[in-house]
Amino acid sequence: MTHALNRQTGLSIIEIMVALVLSLILTLGLVQIFTANSQSFRLAEASSRIQESGRMSLGILSREIRNADYWGCLSDLANLNSVLNNVGDVGALLRGLDAEDGTGPGGSDRLWLGGAGGGSEANVVFDPAAPAATMTVDDSSTLFRGDIVIISNCKSGDIFQVTNDPGSTGSLQVNYNTGGAQGPPGNSTSTLSRQYSDEPEGGALFRPRQQRYYLSEVGGDRELVTDGVNVTGGTANVGSFSAQQALVGDVRDFQLQFGRDTSGNGQINVWEDPLGLNAAGNLQADEAIAVRMSLLIRSPRDNLTDGGQTYCYPGWLDCEGTPGLLSAAAAGDTFLYRVYTTTVSLRNRN
């Protein structure tokens, strides 16, 4: 009995090696499962971030496009008279829609949208005859020297620059003299097209608004940003572009097309890339009743794909019917890409 127990004092080298191999196999399996789960989690997280960025970008731009070319109760800008000196970018204030093709990072487009900047700033109480160059309003708290405003009675209107400082002094008088004390652009005349207090509809003051939406690139990263032509007086430089504001990150490309109604039947006859800020581009934009846009969104992190991912961009291309239209990320690029495309009607032109 003692002799039998002495022969069971340990494990053989073969048994140890078998146990180690089995443990190694089990460990490798667990590592592989962990790695796959980790990659799946990172991929799901990246897809969620991309979807959030895409939906947010389309939401912001769609809302702004739908509201473009809204001028309050003044439906036809042909009835708006400008007394401003046409200096710098102030002329863009009366453009409801414009775009630039390929002027942004990576050949991306820029979108310009204009219209009224919200509710009225004040209502006209008394508007004496020329050459008084002044009017009385019911509330001047938001009006300052240098502000560019539109006065309208819903049938016609004038756009001018405020030359006094009612918001700071508490005066209800709003002046629109000629001269440069208020800064550019200044008024070319102190005579408006009509006396608004004599009209049954009266008159209201509101601000025009012109915003740009485009991509900005810093350190290889791109984001959707906005700025606008400044129409607020005080210490700001009226007519210059306001400070750039970031909207959505990880937007790699932004492409636009205008749907034109060239026959006047209220239907889109042709889709075209923007022609730019010129006479031909202005005509094209004025005939546009819809805008379609496509954004290429990239994941914040890399190492999510095997590299060289292909995608159909812009999204209105028929890549399935013509595979050669497929775009591809650079070789070795392991970021995840998604394309978001939509079409938006300009409801103020319907």
Side-chain angles (χ1 to χ4, degrees):
M1 183 67 176
T2 303
H3 180 71
L5 289 175
N6 289 338
R7 288 187 294 134
Q8 300 296 325
T9 58
L11 298 175
S12 67
I13 187 66
I14 296 177
E15 291 173 323
I16 294 176
M17 292 181 64
V18 170
L20 289 175
V21 170
L22 292 176
S23 299
L24 180 60
I25 293 174
L26 181 60
T27 301
L28 290 176
L30 292 175
V31 170
Q32 186 174 10
I33 292 174
F34 174 80
T35 302
N37 287 341
S38 176
Q39 181 70 2
S40 297
F41 175 79
R42 294 176 68 249
L43 187 61
E45 182 184 30
S47 297
S48 179
R49 291 287 299 274
I50 289 175
Q51 184 178 26
E52 181 182 13
S53 297
R55 293 180 62 182
M56 187 177 299
S57 299
L58 292 183
I60 293 172
L61 293 170
S62 296
R63 181 176 61 253
E64 294 297 322
I65 292 173
R66 282 194 295 268
N67 292 332
D69 223 6
Y70 170 73
W71 302 99
C73 62
L74 186 63
S75 59
D76 189 355
L77 280 186
N79 297 324
L80 180 65
N81 173 59
S82 174
V83 301
L84 295 172
N85 292 313
N86 190 15
V87 178
D89 294 296
V90 175
L93 287 174
L94 302 182
R95 299 286 305 161
L97 175 67
D98 274 316
E100 300 172 80
D101 185 38
T103 58
S108 57
D109 297 345
R110 295 189 180 193
L111 178 65
W112 295 61
L113 299 172
S120 63
E121 302 291 336
N123 295 310
V124 178
V125 175
F126 179 61
D127 179 20
T134 185
M135 65 180 65
T136 304
V137 298
D138 61 353
D139 180 11
S140 62
S141 60
T142 61
L143 299 172
F144 299 91
R145 183 190 304 274
D147 286 0
I148 296 175
V149 295
I150 292 176
I151 180 173
S152 171
N153 65 349
C154 298
K155 294 181 179 178
S156 62
D158 292 88
I159 179 171
F160 64 88
Q161 189 171 24
V162 178
T163 57
N164 65 328
D165 203 2
S168 297
T169 63
S171 171
L172 295 178
Q173 302 296 316
V174 176
N175 300 340
Y176 45 94
N177 296 296
T178 58
Q182 75 289 331
N187 299 313
S188 61
T189 178
S190 59
T191 302
L192 303 182
S193 62
R194 64 195 317 120
Q195 288 180 261
Y196 290 92
S197 58
D198 292 341
E199 299 293 325
E201 298 84 357
L205 300 179
F206 60 89
R207 298 181 192 275
R209 179 172 178 262
Q210 182 69 224
Q211 290 291 123
R212 299 190 304 179
Y213 297 89
Y214 57 97
L215 300 189
S216 176
E217 183 171 12
V218 178
D221 295 325
R222 297 176 191 170
E223 59 185 359
L224 180 66
V225 301
T226 183
D227 61 19
V229 179
N230 182 36
V231 296
T232 304
T235 59
N237 185 11
V238 177
S240 65
F241 286 107
S242 60
Q244 187 182 96
Q245 295 182 347
L247 298 176
V248 183
D250 302 309
V251 182
R252 296 300 298 174
D253 205 347
F254 176 39
Q255 296 295 321
L256 300 165
Q257 281 194 332
F258 288 157
R260 296 179 64 185
D261 175 17
T262 58
S263 60
N265 62 356
Q267 298 181 354
I268 297 174
N269 306 113
V270 62
W271 286 99
E272 296 176 338
D273 293 332
L275 296 177
L277 307 180
N278 49 45
N282 290 345
L283 175 62
Q284 178 197 52
D286 290 342
E287 292 181 346
I289 59 175
V291 176
R292 64 183 181 188
M293 53 187 169
S294 191
L295 297 105
L296 179 63
I297 312 295
R298 191 180 76 174
S299 61
R301 298 179 180 179
D302 57 357
N303 296 321
L304 295 172
T305 68
D306 295 332
Q309 179 188 355
T310 58
Y311 44 82
C312 186
Y313 187 79
W316 51 75
L317 298 178
D318 182 15
C319 297
E320 184 175 350
T322 310
L325 298 178
L326 285 173
S327 301
D333 185 338
T334 57
F335 288 92
L336 182 65
Y337 293 85
R338 291 287 185 270
V339 177
Y340 291 84
T341 306
T342 191
T343 300
V344 184
S345 297
L346 282 80
R347 62 185 180 188
N348 295 303
R349 293 187 176 181
N350 295 336

